[in-house]
């Protein structure tokens, strides 16, 4: 995709003009170190967005606020290199977001904080994060975790799961005591 940067940006602007609602945008084949064109953030009509095999663009200078993705209900970040700050940016730009899926992704800062008034489902699937904190998510019903440390021996890359304010949480799944420590409010649940 890297050699086609101009065409990609032109194509994304065209999708924005056509008010596309669903977009799956995958950088295949590799290289994996290609930055997502920031023009994808100009498609304010999106309701579902899935991104694969990208580096998320640097957020300084990008448009910000609830007008960026006013209709976005579902986002999947698949094999995407994205920092915790960039995840927070996406959440802040998506006032009606209901589903956040981080799949096979690398979070360089590895301390992911998820806070959203509209989020109902959060998924961390085969992704690396030292801490995955759910804060101020009054509508969150499901938190799905699975193999948050792909390929690492048990205990080498533990993930602390912190749940702050999530009064509607009904499903909390696939915790592995050897790699997950669970903290709910002030209560810490550990192995043994």
């Amino acid at each position: 995709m890297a050699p086609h940067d101009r065409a990609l940006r032109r194509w994304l602007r065209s999708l924005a003009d056509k008010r596309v609602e669903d977009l799956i945008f995958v950088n295949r084949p590799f290289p994996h170190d290609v930055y997502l064109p920031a023009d994808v953030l100009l498609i304010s009509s999106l309701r579902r967005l899935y991104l694969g095999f990208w580096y998320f663009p640097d957020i300084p200078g990008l448009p910000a606020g609830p007008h960026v993705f006013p209709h976005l209900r579902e986002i999947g970040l698949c094999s995407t290199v994205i920092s915790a700050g960039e995840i927070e940016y996406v959440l802040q730009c998506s006032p009606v977001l209901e589903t956040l899926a981080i799949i096979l992704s690398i979070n360089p800062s590895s301390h992911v904080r998820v806070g959203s008034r509209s989020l109902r489902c959060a998924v961390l699937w085969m992704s690396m994060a030292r801490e995955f904190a759910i804060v101020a998510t009054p509508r969150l019903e499901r938190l799905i975790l699975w193999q948050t440390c792909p390929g690492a021996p048990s205990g080498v890359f533990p993930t602390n799961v912190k749940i702050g304010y999530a009064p509607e949480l009904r499903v909390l799944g696939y915790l592995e005591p050897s790699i997950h420590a669970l903290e709910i409010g002030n209560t810490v649940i550990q192995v043994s």
Side-chain angles (χ1 to χ4, degrees):
M1 294 278 194
H4 308 288
D5 185 59
R6 281 191 193 159
L8 285 174
R9 286 186 284 138
R10 189 171 49 252
W11 182 66
L12 290 168
R13 283 192 298 273
S14 175
L15 291 175
D17 292 343
K18 292 179 181 186
R19 314 254 331 128
V20 69
E21 293 182 0
D22 298 326
L23 178 61
I24 299 171
F25 193 43
V26 179
N27 173 32
R28 291 291 296 187
F30 291 101
H32 188 291
D33 61 346
V34 176
Y35 278 86
L36 175 70
D39 298 74
V40 77
L41 303 173
L42 302 176
I43 308 175
S44 62
S45 56
L46 286 172
R47 293 185 188 279
R48 282 179 282 303
L49 175 62
Y50 282 82
L51 302 171
F53 297 95
W54 296 103
Y55 271 72
F56 200 82
D58 293 328
I59 52 177
L62 293 179
H67 64 282
V68 174
F69 289 129
H71 309 290
L72 191 66
R73 294 199 176 279
E74 190 174 316
I75 188 166
L77 304 167
C78 307
S79 196
T80 297
V81 177
I82 185 167
S83 72
E86 292 159 350
I87 291 171
E88 288 181 33
Y89 165 84
V90 168
L91 291 168
Q92 292 168 358
C93 292
S94 310
V96 298
L97 189 69
E98 294 179 350
T99 302
L100 168 67
I102 302 170
I103 302 163
L104 288 167
S105 290
I106 299 167
N107 306 302
S109 63
S110 34
H111 293 281
V112 178
R113 293 175 44 89
V114 175
S116 167
R117 293 180 185 192
S118 59
L119 196 65
R120 298 178 70 185
C121 179
V123 177
L124 184 67
W125 195 271
M126 293 185 74
S127 296
M128 293 183 140
R130 292 239 181 247
E131 180 179 281
F132 193 72
I134 299 296
V135 295
T137 52
R139 296 188 64 209
L140 187 70
E141 297 170 358
R142 296 177 311 218
L143 174 57
I144 309 298
L145 307 156
W146 187 69
Q147 200 176 354
T148 52
C149 178
S154 194
V156 172
F157 195 94
T159 299
N160 294 327
V161 179
K162 294 184 177 184
I163 300 172
Y165 183 70
E168 298 297 317
L169 188 62
R170 301 291 181 261
V171 176
L172 174 59
Y174 307 114
L175 292 174
E176 296 179 39
S178 61
I179 63 170
H180 293 117
L182 178 61
E183 183 176 329
I184 301 174
N186 294 326
T187 303
V188 178
I189 301 167
Q190 298 175 327
V191 175
S192 74

